[in-house]
């Protein structure tokens, strides 16, 4: 996990900027190695495992609070003992610095 990314704050993205290229995203993935590119390089995602439903739900709640604080929101699917988080900047239909900042912050919430 990247301490540098984790220490940053999301900046508002109002659209009108190009999304990252796959090459740019690959460089950021080096700082968030547990994440993978998906949707032809327009998203990053990671799956997490937990001991039970309560732990998964707690993680999702903490992530929701973080997303509200940062003003950048993921897609989350979860169930008994698992959660899958996907980051994308929807206004540009692709990846932005904010997505990798939030990926690093999400890693900080995950159990070790």
């Amino acid at each position: 996990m990247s301490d540098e990314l984790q220490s940053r704050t999301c900046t508002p993205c109002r659209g009108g900027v190009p999304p990252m290229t796959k090459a740019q995203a690959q460089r950021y993935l080096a700082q968030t190695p547990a994440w993978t590119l998906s949707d032809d390089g327009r998203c990053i995602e990671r799956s997490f495992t937990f001991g039970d439903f309560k732990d998964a739900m707690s993680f999702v709640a903490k992530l929701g609070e973080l997303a509200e604080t940062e003003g950048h929101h993921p897609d989350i699917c979860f169930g008994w003992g698992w959660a899958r988080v996907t980051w994308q900047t929807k206004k540009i239909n692709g990846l932005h610095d904010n997505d990798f900042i939030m990926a690093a912050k999400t890693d900080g919430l995950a159990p070790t």
Side-chain angles (χ1 to χ4, degrees):
M1 153 181 44
S2 169
D3 290 335
E4 187 272 331
L5 282 175
Q6 229 183 11
S7 69
R8 292 175 54 192
T9 301
C10 289
T11 57
C13 181
R14 304 198 193 306
V17 297
M20 285 185 181
T21 65
K22 280 187 183 179
Q24 290 169 318
Q26 290 289 352
R27 285 192 292 276
Y28 270 97
L29 281 175
Q31 297 178 66
T32 54
W35 294 80
T36 58
L37 285 176
S38 62
D39 194 19
D40 200 29
R42 288 189 294 260
C43 302
I44 54 173
E45 67 181 23
R46 179 178 173 191
S47 293
F48 298 86
T49 56
F50 305 93
D52 55 28
F53 183 82
K54 183 178 178 182
D55 290 345
M57 189 171 63
S58 176
F59 168 78
V60 168
K62 289 176 190 171
L63 182 53
E65 289 176 25
L66 174 64
E68 281 296 303
T69 299
E70 292 286 336
H72 193 57
H73 304 88
D75 291 331
I76 306 169
C77 296
F78 80 103
W80 197 100
W82 66 275
R84 186 177 64 246
V85 179
T86 305
W87 288 103
Q88 176 191 52
T89 301
K90 292 164 184 70
K91 288 187 179 185
I92 60 173
N93 193 31
L95 293 169
H96 183 274
D97 292 357
N98 291 340
D99 300 301
F100 290 92
I101 290 168
M102 293 304 289
K105 289 178 183 260
T106 302
D107 287 346
L109 298 175
T112 53

